[in-house]
Amino acid sequence: MKNKTIPSQLEDGRRYVELLSRDSYVSPKISQIKSIKDTKKGQIKDLTEILFITSYPPRECGIATYSQDLTKALNNKFSNSLSIKVCALESGIMNYNYPEEVEYTLNTTNDSEYGDLAKRINANAKIKIVLIQHEFGFYRGKEQPFLHFLYALSKPIVIVFHTVLPNPDERLKAKVKDIVAACESIIVMTNSSAETLINDYGLSRDKISVIAHGTHLVPHSGEDFLKQKYGLKDRKVLSTFGLLSSGKSLETTLEALPAIVEQSPEVIFLIIGKTHPEVVKNEGEEYREMLEEKVKQLGLHDHVKFINSYLALPELLEYLQLSDIYLFTSTDPNQAVSGTFVYAMSCACPIISTPIPHAREILTSDTGILFDFKNSKQLADAVIRLLSDEPLRRNISTNTLQKIVSTAWENSAVAHAMLFDSITNDNILLHYNMPLINLNHLKLMTTKTGIIQFSKINQPDISTGYTLDDNARALVAICMYFKLTGDAESLTLISKYLRFIKFCQQSDGDFLNYVDSDNQFTNQNKDTNLDDANGRAIWALGYLISLANILPDELIVEANIIFKEANFHIRKVHSTRAMAFAIKGLYYYNSTKQSAENTSLIKLLADRLVQMYVHEANNEWEWFEGYLTYANSILPEAMLFAWLITGEVTYKDIAKSSLKFLISQTFNENGIEVISNKNWLRKGEVREPFGEQPIDVAYTIMTLSKFYEVFKDEDYRSKREIAFNWFLGKNRLHQIVYNPCTGGCYDGLEETHVNLNQGAESTVSYLMARLIMENDNNELSDSKDFVKMPLRRMTNNTLQPINFAKIH
């Protein structure tokens, strides 16, 4: 860390700093902190400790809630890398019952506590970084003790400015510069705040990171269902939430309501939240009582509902999801950021807002409407316009969600962890935690027929019908799940997906791919090459048959019948990936039921792939075709399977050389970047940097896993972990692709955003990859560097322990 230069007005604080550096005091509570330990293995895993200095629940405060959400997100994402501790700010003696992560408190009204806290932090060798959530109101009248505290700290400091005032006077500018000079890094939540610090305060851009206010992933439960649940059926709901104060200007909405109600009598306005504790302390309930009186005067008692409580997060998010429009009426033109605003966006609420800087930055014509401060007429016109145009409102809702999804707390955790890592000069080894195995979205997408092809966001789109491709992959995934867990409930899904494959098989043994919502084969089957779908069906059937020792006999018998009827058609296949998938299925079949006929067929298909490789490959391009397209890793994997069955060394050599080439084209400093689905990579051309799909990452993970199993090369295992982390945020955009809230997987990584739809292909692909990682982590549990985590699954949003007695 760089030495801090004490500003001139703090010269009198120099001895204060020297005394602190001489003195040493270790809190008994801090000294008892232990490293994470796996008691079975006796392993100790040191974590990088980050201390948050912030207001914290149960204190009711927006920054307190923000800090707890960020702490939870970092723990959920990086608990094997980081240890987050908290120093809770108090205004006077508060006697809160804090959660266990709170190790210190600081009474900001007591000058002496600043020095004591600095000594304790400096004495704790575990603390590597101090992150301070800053709001000027926290330190009102105590600016000098706070500044002394910053310069007394020997740890790197990150400061988060929740308020950035434009056009500062010289005194404010000097105050901010003195704070910043003591810090290693600055975080702000909007680009406009960053530009203000650069242009108005003269701060260096290099020191500033923009990390947006985090938002919660929500399941987007049906609006009608939620309205029924909360007694709001057939109502058009306007809402706002937050701790009440006069700055919210809720009277602006009340004065707009008569005109709105005249056009839409079913409107109700929900005012959610208690009065701010500081307001209650100084003014009592004067503001709320004024609002209640105005409701009476305007005759709005049937159209306004006060929810005078600090709602638990799940309930709050449900109220926001059922809202038709969210209203933000703050009168502070310098409010840099609003947590209430972004929470509403995460629930896909169309928003009408006053033009605070945050709103001006995020809301465009396709994501919301701005109106002037305190202008009730403009507000009424905007509400009436949206309520009378449902297609517009729905369009804004979708665009709002797309705009805000990058700010999910999971992404905020990734951004903070990357910043911490850079501050420690890359000394933090970031281990992404494995999400729980969650079948909820897979089950939601599955009907009595099979798994639906596409979704709109996370809602199944039955109009898109079904495909053999998706149901074959789903069969593989759920068979893997059964093999891992022995969960009898999954047998129903296995039977369903197998039945769909049988339905798609034709009299000559081959398969059709496309089925509509009425279970009719579509014309697309006539216009599309179906070889790949046929190859995937063989893979799925072969894998199911390989589990003959644990699956019910009737499933194995049925799969065998379908498999044998398809065998003749396989010989006619010349499509590269179709042959590779077929080899994979034949390998699995042979693993439990040796067949000379199948071995011969594997050799026939593998020899065709060898011929393609010999024709195309050279020293710079060791591949089977003159281009890299989709599902590339299945080709070297198929050659590996062919070698394992036949012992033909040429197959092994090509398997290893072609995978090495593929790795060279898809792994870089960002992790893994699979070939774009926008444009294939042709020999001699430059690749597109976006259009990455989960299916290609999942196939790569499966291939690397098999290669590691066979050759025990640690590079394969390392790259498998890198590839899986792509789903968790270690990718070009540093955004999650797997949605842990729904159990679904986003459909792709585009140039600037993720594709929010969570279709069957992506969801099943992620699930296969996750199950591979779980299985392989179990195999690694004896490794000296591995701390084994208990297996859990999500069932109906409830965490359930796996019954290990059922595992075969």
Side-chain angles (χ1 to χ4, degrees):
M1 179 186 172
K2 298 175 183 176
N3 292 328
K4 299 172 185 175
T5 304
I6 301 174
S8 57
Q9 67 267 42
L10 286 183
E11 285 294 329
D12 59 342
R14 192 178 294 275
R15 177 163 171 73
Y16 176 93
V17 175
E18 290 171 352
L19 286 171
L20 290 179
S21 63
R22 260 191 256 149
D23 212 346
S24 177
Y25 173 76
V26 180
S27 160
K29 189 172 183 182
I30 291 297
S31 67
Q32 295 168 8
I33 296 175
K34 304 293 183 185
S35 298
I36 285 185
K37 184 174 181 181
D38 184 306
T39 54
K40 288 184 181 178
K41 302 293 179 185
Q43 301 161 9
I44 293 177
K45 184 175 176 60
D46 292 324
L47 304 180
T48 300
E49 189 165 304
I50 315 293
L51 179 67
F52 282 19
I53 299 179
T54 177
S55 59
Y56 208 74
R59 182 174 177 178
E60 294 177 349
C61 160
I63 292 177
T65 302
Y66 169 91
S67 296
Q68 187 175 57
D69 286 339
L70 177 57
T71 298
K72 287 179 178 178
L74 284 163
N75 284 333
N76 287 340
K77 203 80 176 168
F78 298 109
S79 62
N80 288 324
S81 304
L82 304 174
S83 174
I84 310 299
K85 302 299 179 183
V86 175
C87 171
L89 298 178
E90 298 183 340
S91 178
I93 305 301
M94 293 183 164
N95 296 316
Y96 287 131
N97 183 20
Y98 288 110
E100 63 180 359
E101 62 267 22
V102 176
E103 294 282 349
Y104 309 93
T105 61
L106 172 63
N107 178 358
T108 56
T109 66
N110 186 336
D111 290 13
S112 66
E113 288 200 18
Y114 289 89
D116 291 342
L117 178 62
K119 287 189 287 185
R120 294 169 69 189
I121 293 172
N122 289 341
N124 187 348
K126 288 182 176 291
I127 298 174
K128 304 304 181 186
I129 296 172
V130 177
L131 182 141
I132 301 173
Q133 303 291 347
H134 181 274
E135 181 63 68
F136 287 104
F138 285 157
Y139 308 102
R140 188 168 289 115
K142 299 297 178 182
E143 289 86 355
Q144 285 301 308
F146 174 65
L147 208 53
H148 287 155
F149 167 72
L150 293 180
Y151 281 87
L153 287 176
S154 61
K155 314 284 185 175
I157 301 170
V158 178
I159 197 151
V160 185
F161 283 125
H162 287 257
T163 296
V164 179
L165 298 174
N167 306 312
D169 58 25
E170 290 304 315
R171 183 171 173 276
L172 177 58
K173 186 184 295 187
K175 186 187 298 184
V176 169
K177 282 189 167 184
D178 286 343
I179 291 172
V180 168
C183 300
E184 193 81 8
S185 183
I186 308 158
I187 295 175
V188 291
M189 299 183 198
T190 64
N191 292 312
S192 60
S193 291
E195 293 304 315
T196 297
L197 288 176
I198 294 164
N199 298 326
D200 292 9
Y201 292 82
L203 301 185
S204 168
R205 188 181 298 274
D206 293 340
K207 207 169 188 178
I208 300 170
S209 296
V210 179
I211 303 178
H213 192 299
T215 56
H216 294 279
L217 296 171
V218 296
H220 299 287
S221 306
E223 182 181 301
D224 292 340
F225 166 78
L226 291 175
K227 285 184 177 181
Q228 178 104 16
K229 176 179 177 178
Y230 288 100
L232 296 167
K233 183 181 178 183
D234 298 326
R235 302 299 295 267
K236 293 293 186 187
V237 179
L238 315 177
S239 69
T240 194
F241 87 94
L243 294 171
L244 266 62
S245 67
S246 59
K248 299 282 188 183
S249 191
L250 299 181
E251 60 272 22
T252 301
T253 302
L254 297 181
E255 290 163 3
L257 272 178
I260 296 169
V261 169
E262 184 178 349
Q263 295 294 320
S264 300
E266 69 277 21
V267 159
I268 186 168
F269 177 41
L270 305 182
I271 300 174
I272 304 169
K274 297 170 62 175
T275 303
H276 197 292
E278 294 298 317
V279 173
V280 172
K281 188 189 301 183
N282 298 317
E283 304 171 13
E285 291 286 1
E286 183 179 322
Y287 181 64
R288 181 182 296 275
E289 290 166 359
M290 181 275 289
L291 294 174
E292 290 172 342
E293 181 59 31
K294 187 173 283 289
V295 169
K296 290 179 184 178
Q297 292 174 359
L298 295 172
L300 295 171
H301 58 278
D302 289 334
H303 301 281
V304 178
K305 181 178 181 180
F306 289 88
I307 302 174
N308 186 13
S309 60
Y310 200 80
L311 296 182
L313 180 65
E315 187 176 3
L316 171 63
L317 294 177
E318 287 191 335
Y319 269 113
L320 292 175
Q321 288 178 77
L322 64 78
S323 298
D324 293 278
I325 302 173
Y326 184 80
L327 304 178
F328 186 82
T329 53
S330 169
T331 57
D332 182 0
N334 296 320
Q335 184 172 350
V337 68
S338 166
T340 66
F341 182 94
V342 294
Y343 278 26
M345 291 187 74
S346 73
C347 292
C349 291
I351 294 178
I352 300 174
S353 173
T354 50
I356 65 168
H358 196 189
R360 291 200 308 270
E361 184 169 316
I362 292 182
L363 292 187
T364 56
S365 59
D366 61 350
T367 56
I369 298 174
L370 297 176
F371 73 100
D372 293 337
F373 296 106
K374 296 187 175 182
N375 193 322
S376 296
K377 169 104 175 35
Q378 287 184 5
L379 175 57
D381 290 345
V383 171
I384 291 168
R385 177 189 171 201
L386 284 186
L387 289 180
S388 63
D389 191 340
E390 184 163 342
L392 173 63
R393 198 167 72 251
R394 297 294 180 195
N395 187 53
I396 287 178
S397 176
T398 300
N399 293 336
T400 295
L401 192 59
Q402 182 68 74
K403 186 100 172 186
I404 205 68
V405 71
S406 64
T407 68
W409 280 116
E410 289 79 1
N411 293 332
S412 180
V414 171
H416 279 86
M418 290 174 62
L419 178 61
F420 298 153
D421 191 30
S422 68
I423 289 172
T424 62
N425 296 316
D426 299 328
N427 283 329
I428 301 175
L429 188 58
L430 290 176
H431 292 287
Y432 289 72
N433 290 349
M434 287 287 173
L436 301 169
I437 295 173
N438 183 347
L439 302 185
N440 287 350
H441 192 59
L442 178 110
K443 291 178 178 179
L444 179 68
M445 292 286 290
T446 300
T447 69
K448 63 182 181 181
T449 298
I451 192 165
I452 297 169
Q453 184 174 194
F454 294 128
S455 72
K456 293 179 178 177
I457 310 298
N458 68 321
Q459 297 303 307
D461 185 0
I462 187 62
S463 70
T464 63
Y466 310 87
T467 67
L468 174 65
D469 284 332
D470 291 330
N471 281 272
R473 281 187 288 258
L475 180 60
V476 172
I478 208 66
C479 282
M480 292 170 66
Y481 180 75
F482 181 80
K483 180 183 178 182
L484 182 69
T485 68
D487 180 14
E489 292 180 14
S490 58
L491 292 173
T492 301
L493 291 171
I494 292 174
S495 178
K496 192 172 292 186
Y497 301 139
L498 178 61
R499 192 166 60 244
F500 186 89
I501 293 175
K502 181 181 180 180
F503 173 74
C504 289
Q505 190 168 41
Q506 303 301 291
S507 58
D508 61 355
D510 66 352
F511 301 89
L512 298 182
N513 190 29
Y514 300 99
V515 178
D516 66 20
S517 58
D518 295 322
N519 295 345
Q520 300 296 311
F521 291 111
T522 71
N523 289 331
Q524 197 171 355
N525 289 294
K526 301 174 183 176
D527 305 328
T528 307
N529 187 313
L530 302 180
D531 283 352
D532 284 4
N534 277 256
R536 290 187 188 96
I538 296 300
W539 166 34
L541 292 165
Y543 185 70
L544 186 153
I545 293 166
S546 75
L547 304 181
N549 62 324
I550 61 173
L551 286 174
D553 290 343
E554 57 268 27
L555 291 175
I556 303 301
V557 169
E558 189 69 63
N560 262 300
I561 293 170
I562 303 170
F563 189 95
K564 289 177 179 177
E565 289 180 1
N567 245 5
F568 178 75
H569 178 74
I570 297 172
R571 294 181 177 277
K572 300 184 293 183
V573 169
H574 286 79
S575 169
T576 315
R577 282 151 190 78
M579 292 190 292
F581 281 118
I583 289 172
K584 193 169 182 177
L586 291 162
Y587 166 84
Y588 280 117
Y589 184 98
N590 262 26
S591 66
T592 55
K593 195 171 185 178
Q594 291 291 329
S595 163
E597 180 186 359
N598 286 343
T599 301
S600 173
L601 187 50
I602 288 173
K603 195 170 188 318
L604 173 69
L605 299 176
D607 285 344
R608 289 176 185 171
L609 291 175
V610 169
Q611 291 171 9
M612 296 176 71
Y613 182 87
V614 170
H615 182 266
E616 289 291 343
N618 57 41
N619 289 337
E620 288 76 38
W621 188 267
E622 298 179 84
W623 198 244
F624 305 84
E625 302 160 312
Y627 42 79
L628 289 168
T629 59
Y630 60 93
N632 295 299
S633 70
I634 188 64
L635 303 183
E637 188 180 3
M639 298 308 295
L640 178 63
F641 283 130
W643 169 63
L644 291 173
I645 288 292
T646 67
E648 175 58 58
V649 176
T650 299
Y651 300 161
K652 181 188 76 170
D653 293 341
I654 292 176
K656 295 183 78 171
S657 63
S658 59
L659 181 59
K660 181 180 179 181
F661 171 74
L662 180 62
I663 287 172
S664 75
Q665 299 297 311
T666 53
F667 283 81
N668 57 36
E669 66 278 3
N670 292 326
I672 186 173
E673 291 188 30
V674 292
I675 303 303
S676 170
N677 69 333
K678 307 297 181 186
N679 286 295
W680 306 134
L681 175 61
R682 298 185 181 279
K683 190 187 297 186
E685 293 183 355
V686 178
R687 60 171 294 177
E688 291 277 3
F690 53 88
E692 302 166 60
Q693 292 190 297
I695 189 170
D696 289 310
V697 179
Y699 282 154
T700 302
I701 290 167
M702 298 181 86
T703 298
L704 289 167
S705 183
K706 191 63 182 180
F707 271 71
Y708 175 71
E709 177 190 321
V710 173
F711 298 112
K712 302 303 179 187
D713 185 333
E714 284 297 313
D715 188 53
Y716 293 138
R717 182 167 73 87
S718 172
K719 284 189 166 56
R720 182 186 64 199
E721 181 178 349
I722 290 169
F724 187 78
N725 288 342
W726 180 90
F727 289 102
L728 309 182
K730 182 67 171 71
N731 52 52
R732 180 175 47 81
L733 294 183
H734 307 300
Q735 293 184 32
I736 56 169
V737 184
Y738 169 68
N739 184 326
C741 175
T742 64
C745 181
Y746 297 131
D747 277 354
L749 202 64
E750 306 301 342
E751 183 173 9
T752 60
H753 62 278
V754 294
N755 180 335
L756 290 184
N757 296 325
Q758 297 162 51
E761 177 183 290
S762 301
T763 295
V764 172
S765 295
Y766 166 80
L767 181 59
M768 288 191 294
R770 176 64 183 87
L771 291 166
I772 285 283
M773 298 302 291
E774 187 69 39
N775 183 65
D776 291 343
N777 281 347
N778 289 341
E779 292 175 2
L780 287 168
S781 60
D782 291 328
S783 167
K784 65 179 181 179
D785 297 322
F786 183 78
V787 179
K788 191 173 185 297
M789 303 299 289
L791 176 64
R792 295 288 188 268
R793 70 171 183 267
M794 290 287 284
T795 304
N796 296 327
N797 296 319
T798 303
L799 189 61
Q800 302 287 342
I802 295 296
N803 182 352
F804 282 93
K806 290 184 177 180
I807 298 180
H808 297 266

